[in-house]
Amino acid sequence: MSKEKNKDKVYFGPIPDPDILNAKEFWDGAKNNILKLPKCNSCKKFFFYPRTICPREGCHSRDIIWEQGSGKGTIYTFAIQHIATDGWKEAVPFVTAFIDTEENVRMLSVIANANPEDPGSIKIGADVEIRFEKVEDDIYMPYWEIV
């Protein structure tokens, strides 16, 4: 007997405690449906996850700025999740993917409008756009949709 999936929400995980020290700009952007990404002001490369030092080999600058990302990318790879813990149990099956953004940043996320019952319909290289779901008063979680 399978239970009905909740289709009214996208994010089923625990409510994150935003890293205000390293990622305030990311969370502030999310509240406004904007993808904000850290960028090294020395080597001019974007990166993700937010941190206080550039992760690029040979750089490691601490001169980090934040810029608005395009919110567009492509699917690098994906997986169908059939087993999950915590709140995600009510979402199975669901699709997770690594997304390559136009800024050359790779992010792990959920693909909300992908059909986990038809993996053949999900294409590597498919265009995606970021969306944000309000999960608490000041917390908006990113997810992606195929366009």
Side-chain angles (χ1 to χ4, degrees), residues 38-47 54 59 61 63-64:
K39 182 178 181 181
C40 177
N41 206 27
S42 294
C43 73
K44 307 299 185 204
K45 305 274 188 198
F46 287 96
F47 57 89
C54 177
C59 184
S61 171
D63 187 8
I64 307 301

Side-chain angles (χ1 to χ4, degrees), residues 24-77:
K24 181 180 183 327
E25 292 85 350
F26 175 81
W27 294 107
D28 287 348
K31 283 190 263 189
N32 294 298
N33 296 309
I34 295 169
L35 175 62
K36 297 288 285 213
L37 294 170
K39 182 178 181 181
C40 177
N41 206 27
S42 294
C43 73
K44 307 299 185 204
K45 305 274 188 198
F46 287 96
F47 57 89
F48 195 83
Y49 64 90
R51 55 205 121 167
T52 60
I53 189 168
C54 177
R56 305 288 179 182
E57 187 174 341
C59 184
H60 305 297
S61 171
R62 291 185 181 273
D63 187 8
I64 307 301
I65 59 174
W66 286 80
E67 289 189 8
Q68 182 172 333
S70 67
K72 297 178 181 182
T74 57
I75 296 174
Y76 173 75
T77 192

Side-chain angles (χ1 to χ4, degrees), residues 131-142:
R131 305 282 188 262
F132 296 89
E133 178 179 44
K134 182 178 183 177
V135 296
E136 210 168 76
D137 284 342
D138 284 337
I139 308 290
Y140 289 73
M141 291 300 296

Side-chain angles (χ1 to χ4, degrees), residues 10 33-35 68-76 95 97-103 107-114 123 125-133 141-147:
V10 174
N33 296 309
I34 295 169
L35 175 62
Q68 182 172 333
S70 67
K72 297 178 181 182
T74 57
I75 296 174
Y76 173 75
V95 179
F98 277 107
I99 305 300
D100 285 343
T101 70
E102 288 183 347
E103 296 78 23
M107 299 177 76
L108 175 63
S109 188
V110 172
I111 304 291
N113 64 346
K123 304 295 183 202
D127 291 331
V128 292
E129 288 184 358
I130 201 165
R131 305 282 188 262
F132 296 89
E133 178 179 44
M141 291 300 296
Y143 65 94
W144 296 79
E145 289 189 343
I146 298 169
V147 293

